[in-house]
């Protein structure tokens, strides 16, 4: 049985992530989407919010599980019994970081392999950061993220706006 981990921050999940999830789920028997719980990155959404959004948007894909994790990816992979890590590659700018990560993980644990899926062309420009930047300025993000994510982003921005007013 081929089990793989697709790790990331998913802050929030975009149509680009979802595309990688759908395509990977067709290749492997079980896909574990690992949601990184790293407060040093100051995420907009809590890990619970990110996990819940991912669960909602993948609920129709039978072999996908959403699991939060903290710490070393190779430890998480071992714990889950997965020897394969999947990452998405958008532009050449992703390459250096991804190469370094995959080689480091392989050095730490040679039984772990990383497989890259190149982005579908229509999502090659898309990142969670860009989506958040658009949302901050009240722009329409509905073509970049699933509908429930767009709604949650709008609510989060309203809440943030109210908090900022009171500061
Ligand atoms: P991280 O913080 O680990 O970079 P992200 O949530 O930003 O996590 O991304 C997780 C993975 O998804 C990374 O491998 C990233 O390259 C990939 N990814 C992000 N956006 C896209 C996209 N539009 N198309 C394909 N892959 C993507």
């Amino acid at each position: 049985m081929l089990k793989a981990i697709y790790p990331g921050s998913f802050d929030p999940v975009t149509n680009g992530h979802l595309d990688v999830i759908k395509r990977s789920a067709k290749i492997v028997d079980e896909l574990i989407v690992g949601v990184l719980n790293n407060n040093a990155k100051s995420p907009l959404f809590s890990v619970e919010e990110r996990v819940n959004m991912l669960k909602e948007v993948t609920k129709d894909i039978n072999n996908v599980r959403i699991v939060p994790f903290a710490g070393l990816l190779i430890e998480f992979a071992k714990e889950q019994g997965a020897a394969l890590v999947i990452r998405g590659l958008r532009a050449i700018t992703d390459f250096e970081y991804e190469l370094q990560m995959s080689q480091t993980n392989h050095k730490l644990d040679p039984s772990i392999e990383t497989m890259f899926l190149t982005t579908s062309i229509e999502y090659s420009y898309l990142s969670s950061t860009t989506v958040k930047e658009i949302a901050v300025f009240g722009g329409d993000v509905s073509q970049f993220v699933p509908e429930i994510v767009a709604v949650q982003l709008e609510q989060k921005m309203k809440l943030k706006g109210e908090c900022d007013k009171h500061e």
Side-chain angles (χ1 to χ4, degrees):
M1 173 154 146
L2 184 58
K3 243 191 206 187
I5 306 248
Y6 175 37
S9 306
F10 306 103
D11 185 38
V13 56
T14 67
N15 289 340
H17 293 131
L18 200 53
D19 177 61
V20 172
I21 292 174
K22 284 180 183 162
R23 287 161 58 205
S24 312
K26 282 188 199 155
I27 302 170
V28 300
D29 297 302
E30 185 178 13
L31 181 71
I32 298 151
V33 179
V35 185
L36 188 63
N37 187 0
N38 178 2
N39 285 331
K41 270 197 164 183
S42 320
L44 177 64
F45 290 98
S46 70
V47 72
E48 290 80 16
E49 288 171 322
R50 285 178 275 143
V51 164
N52 288 338
M53 283 188 273
L54 273 158
K55 280 190 176 162
E56 181 62 28
V57 301
T58 58
K59 64 175 191 275
D60 296 329
I61 318 170
N62 291 333
N63 59 342
V64 171
R65 268 196 306 132
I66 314 296
V67 182
F69 80 102
L72 279 182
L73 175 62
I74 52 152
E75 294 302 331
F76 176 59
K78 243 185 264 171
E79 197 184 286
Q80 296 290 324
L84 183 67
V85 171
I86 292 181
R87 296 281 289 176
L89 270 184
R90 282 162 295 191
I92 194 78
T93 41
D94 280 341
F95 183 76
E96 211 164 301
Y97 174 70
E98 294 293 342
L99 180 71
Q100 197 179 25
M101 279 246 303
S102 70
Q103 287 177 337
T104 306
N105 285 334
H106 198 256
K107 198 84 191 156
L108 289 173
D109 184 345
S111 69
I112 306 269
E113 293 290 352
T114 305
M115 194 172 84
F116 296 100
L117 289 193
T118 50
T119 177
S120 298
I121 279 177
E122 62 266 45
Y123 305 125
S124 58
Y125 59 88
L126 196 51
S127 72
S128 298
T129 306
T130 314
V131 166
K132 284 182 279 191
E133 275 166 8
I134 298 168
V136 165
F137 296 109
D140 178 11
V141 295
S142 59
Q143 57 177 315
F144 308 125
V145 294
E147 200 183 326
I148 65 132
V149 177
V151 171
Q152 293 242 6
L153 259 170
E154 200 182 320
Q155 281 170 359
K156 190 63 114 185
M157 290 306 157
K158 263 194 205 143
L159 215 69
K160 248 176 97 69
E162 275 159 29
C163 288
D164 292 349
K165 252 193 257 165
H166 294 297
E167 264 173 16

